[in-house]
């Protein structure tokens, strides 16, 4: 596959929660460690050089990549983490968002933490877009793992968006994900172990429950407003100006 692999002294399966790649940990003759990532379905390589991303040591036309191994634990395995680590995660996101890029797959298994630092890995599909979409997706994945974004993350990121605006992006992203073909593809993938299928089924249920809760909250708020005014919005006299003095 790669000439560099001919120098490998050890190749072993790498455990993880990857849903789209088969992973192997490779020890090269010079002592370096690398990860061999082989996509389950052939794809094009990323078209961006990303600051702070692990170095790509070799690749081919099918999309197989031999990439620098990053020491540490995934954020999914490391939770809960210190404020220092949260700040470093925020800084990692700030670094790419400031150059106009998105990671586009910010699940907790693609963030490696250790020694007070954080590295985003698995750069299979970087692109351009609205950073709020990525921040909302990260918040959503944290929710799936029973966690939330702390203030220390925003301190590292350098700013905090309007929570209401971030929530709107999260609702839109949640609807988009639930409507996608991801779930059917994972369910029909005969190579995925049952424990991973169980994990994504649980994710889908959690997302649906969260979305239903958001819509219920909005509807209840609207009803409360109606009761407070003792009339429905369409029956109110909209020509009247704001009654600031009342």
């Amino acid at each position: 596959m790669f000439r560099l692999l001919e120098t490998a002294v050890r190749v072993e399966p790498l455990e993880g929660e990857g849903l789209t790649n088969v992973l192997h940990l490779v020890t090269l003759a010079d002592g370096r460690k690398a990860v061999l990532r082989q996509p389950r379905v052939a794809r094009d390589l990323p078209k961006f050089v990303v600051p702070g991303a692990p170095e790509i040591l070799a690749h081919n036309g099918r999309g197989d990549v031999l990439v620098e191994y990053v020491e540490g634990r995934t954020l999914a395995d490391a939770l809960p983490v210190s404020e220092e680590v949260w700040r470093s995660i925020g800084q990692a996101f700030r670094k790419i968002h400031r150059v106009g890029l998105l990671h586009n797959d910010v699940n907790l298994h693609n963030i490696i933490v250790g020694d007070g630092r954080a590295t985003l890995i698995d750069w299979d599909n970087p692109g351009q877009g609205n950073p709020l979409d990525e921040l909302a997706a990260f918040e959503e994945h944290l929710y799936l793992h029973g966690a939330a974004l702390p203030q220390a993350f925003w301190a590292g990121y350098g700013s905090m968006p309007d929570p209401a605006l971030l929530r709107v992006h999260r609702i839109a992203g949640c609807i988009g994900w639930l409507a996608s073909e991801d779930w059917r593809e994972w369910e029909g993938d005969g190579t995925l172990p049952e424990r991973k299928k169980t994990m994504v089924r649980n994710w889908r249920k959690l997302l649906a429950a969260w979305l239903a809760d958001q819509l219920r909250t909005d509807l209840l708020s609207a009803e409360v407003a109606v009761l407070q005014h003792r009339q429905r919005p369409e029956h109110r006299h909209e020509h009247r100006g704001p009654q600031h003095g009342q």
Side-chain angles (χ1 to χ4, degrees):
M1 180 184 296
F2 304 130
R3 293 187 63 86
L4 189 57
L5 283 178
E6 296 176 6
T7 71
V9 297
R10 187 174 183 182
V11 178
E12 54 191 310
L14 188 60
E15 289 297 321
E17 298 298 335
L19 298 172
T20 59
N21 293 305
V22 176
L23 307 175
H24 286 85
L25 179 61
V26 179
T27 304
L28 301 172
D30 60 9
R32 287 182 298 169
K33 289 185 177 181
V35 175
L36 175 62
R37 291 194 290 112
Q38 298 172 278
R40 298 178 188 277
V41 178
R43 59 166 174 256
D44 293 333
L45 287 171
K47 298 176 175 60
F48 298 98
V49 176
V50 181
E55 180 185 359
I56 294 178
L57 305 177
H59 59 82
N60 63 19
R62 182 185 175 277
D64 302 317
V65 177
L66 189 66
V67 64
E68 171 192 5
Y69 176 70
V70 179
E71 293 284 353
R73 303 169 66 196
T74 68
L75 181 57
D77 292 332
L79 285 173
V81 295
S82 67
E83 288 192 356
E84 179 186 14
V85 170
W86 276 118
R87 284 192 294 271
S88 68
I89 296 172
Q91 290 165 1
F93 277 90
R94 178 177 64 184
K95 184 181 295 184
I96 60 169
H97 288 173
R98 282 189 171 180
V99 298
L101 290 178
L102 304 183
H103 181 282
N104 278 334
D105 189 11
V106 294
N107 71 78
L108 273 59
H109 299 282
N110 285 343
I111 302 175
I112 302 296
V113 299
D115 298 327
R117 59 173 176 75
T119 304
L120 301 181
I121 64 169
D122 285 9
W123 287 89
D124 293 339
N125 191 37
Q128 296 175 308
N130 190 330
L132 284 175
D133 290 334
E134 183 139 280
L135 294 170
F138 184 38
E139 185 178 63
E140 189 164 271
H141 274 277
L142 280 167
Y143 164 77
L144 295 178
H145 289 267
L149 274 177
Q151 186 58 42
F153 170 86
W154 299 114
Y157 190 70
S159 63
M160 182 176 180
D162 180 347
L165 184 58
L166 186 64
R167 177 171 170 267
V168 168
H169 280 260
R170 183 171 167 187
I171 289 173
C174 185
I175 292 173
W177 195 10
L178 285 172
S180 75
E181 292 295 317
D182 289 351
W183 316 96
R184 183 177 299 176
E185 290 175 5
W186 288 327
E187 188 65 35
D189 188 344
T191 67
L192 278 183
E194 188 59 34
R195 65 182 182 84
K196 290 186 179 179
K197 290 186 179 182
T198 299
M199 178 186 73
V200 297
R201 289 188 198 111
N202 187 49
W203 281 2
R204 189 173 189 175
K205 291 178 182 178
L206 286 171
L207 289 174
W210 180 85
L211 183 61
D213 186 59
Q214 301 308 302
L215 297 178
R216 244 193 328 266
T217 300
D218 286 347
L219 291 173
L220 286 175
S221 297
E223 289 300 317
V224 168
V226 168
L227 292 173
Q228 287 177 337
H229 288 82
R230 302 296 182 187
Q231 55 187 328
R232 294 193 174 279
E234 61 267 25
H235 295 157
R236 293 169 59 187
H237 300 291
E238 298 298 335
H239 66 276
R240 295 176 61 191
Q243 305 301 301
H244 296 300
Q246 294 182 357

